[in-house]
Amino acid sequence: MLAIYKREMRAYFTGAIGYVFLVIFLSMGGALFSYTNLYSMKVDVSTYYLWMLIFSAVVLPMLTMKSFSEEKKAKTEQLLMTSPVSIPGMVFGKFLAAYSMFAGALLVTTLPFLIVTRYAVVPWALLLGNLIALLLVGLMFIAIGLFVSSLTENQLAAVIGTVAILAGLLGIGVINSLLPSKYWLRYVFNCLSVFTRFQTFTNGYFDLSSLIYYLSVSGIFLYLTMRVYDRRRYL
């Protein structure tokens, strides 16, 4: 797994993907911070991270689109499957590399809040809750992206497929807000909604059920990715 992790991290920085992702993510983080905090002259942690959640659904597929799709296109997929690395090791190595890129970039975007402590009071507990929530959402988004990437050799198709699934998960929260409060489907959507579970953290509460939800969905999609390669190994 470590060999795959190092290989993927090296690939991010020997190619353009890693740099493009960092430039876009950090630029958007700075722009959102300026709009939600500097422009309004107040510390607004929750709004900032809510917009970062939406933005992450669009930009994170950049990290996962090449994870398996490029292996298929370059005909190196069989080399991976016949190497001494196990399928779980291969999947987790690629997953951790993409997640390291995301987590590192996200931590950098919190630095402006450290700077404004000289001029305003930053609600650190709320900031930590939002940061943890977005890191958990990132786990799920990247796991979904890896699964979609394992299904196709076309990187553009991997991006579009991942964004479509993530948009659907976010859209559940929008639909949920439009349903009557006593409608039974609202309870189902409430359980599945990424927005609803994320907002628990943005309000300053640590929700164990949301933690289990994010970890479970991430685990399911990582398992499905492993199953895809288990089947291909014997074809």
Side-chain angles (χ1 to χ4, degrees):
M1 185 179 75
L2 184 59
I4 297 295
Y5 174 81
K6 290 180 178 178
R7 176 176 176 266
E8 290 298 307
M9 289 299 293
R10 193 180 304 114
Y12 281 129
F13 292 105
T14 54
I17 293 296
Y19 296 105
V20 171
F21 167 77
L22 290 175
V23 168
I24 294 176
F25 194 88
L26 297 179
S27 298
M28 183 56 67
L32 288 175
F33 181 83
S34 298
Y35 177 74
T36 59
N37 290 270
L38 298 182
Y39 181 74
S40 61
M41 297 298 290
K42 64 179 181 180
V43 179
D44 190 351
V45 173
S46 297
T47 302
Y48 171 76
Y49 279 102
L50 186 61
W51 278 107
M52 286 298 288
L53 165 67
I54 298 170
F55 175 66
S56 295
V58 177
V59 75
L60 275 183
M62 289 178 56
L63 289 178
T64 59
M65 67 179 185
K66 61 181 283 296
S67 296
F68 292 108
S69 299
E70 190 177 49
E71 303 286 358
K72 295 187 188 70
K73 189 173 182 180
K75 308 301 181 183
T76 57
E77 187 180 55
Q78 290 300 322
L79 291 176
L80 270 180
M81 289 193 291
T82 56
S83 67
V85 180
S86 65
I87 288 178
M90 175 182 71
V91 172
F92 276 105
K94 289 177 175 289
F95 171 76
L96 290 176
Y99 190 70
S100 295
M101 290 289 293
F102 165 68
L106 182 61
L107 291 175
V108 171
T109 62
T110 63
L111 294 179
F113 287 102
L114 297 177
I115 297 173
V116 300
T117 54
R118 296 181 58 184
Y119 312 101
V121 177
V122 177
W124 293 110
L126 192 60
L127 175 64
L128 182 61
N130 279 269
L131 184 59
I132 291 173
L134 194 49
L135 287 171
L136 290 172
V137 172
L139 281 173
M140 185 175 72
F141 284 2
I142 290 172
I144 293 171
L146 284 179
F147 171 68
V148 176
S149 179
S150 71
L151 300 177
T152 177
E153 67 176 30
N154 189 311
Q155 295 185 28
L156 180 60
V159 171
I160 294 173
T162 304
V163 171
I165 294 174
L166 300 185
L169 289 172
L170 295 177
I172 289 174
V174 177
I175 296 172
N176 184 50
S177 65
L178 300 176
L179 292 175
S181 59
K182 294 184 179 181
Y183 192 47
W184 65 271
L185 198 58
R186 188 182 178 99
Y187 174 77
V188 177
F189 283 179
N190 198 49
C191 293
L192 297 175
S193 173
V194 175
F195 269 132
T196 302
R197 295 185 177 279
F198 185 82
Q199 285 175 338
T200 304
F201 287 89
T202 63
N203 293 327
Y205 300 101
F206 184 84
D207 186 7
L208 182 60
S209 65
S210 296
L211 173 64
I212 295 172
Y213 167 76
Y214 291 130
L215 294 179
S216 298
V217 175
S218 302
I220 288 170
F221 277 96
L222 289 175
Y223 173 75
L224 290 174
T225 306
M226 293 177 205
R227 291 297 300 157
V228 167
Y229 278 91
D230 271 332
R231 292 187 62 185
R232 285 184 184 159
R233 172 169 282 184
Y234 299 107
L235 290 178

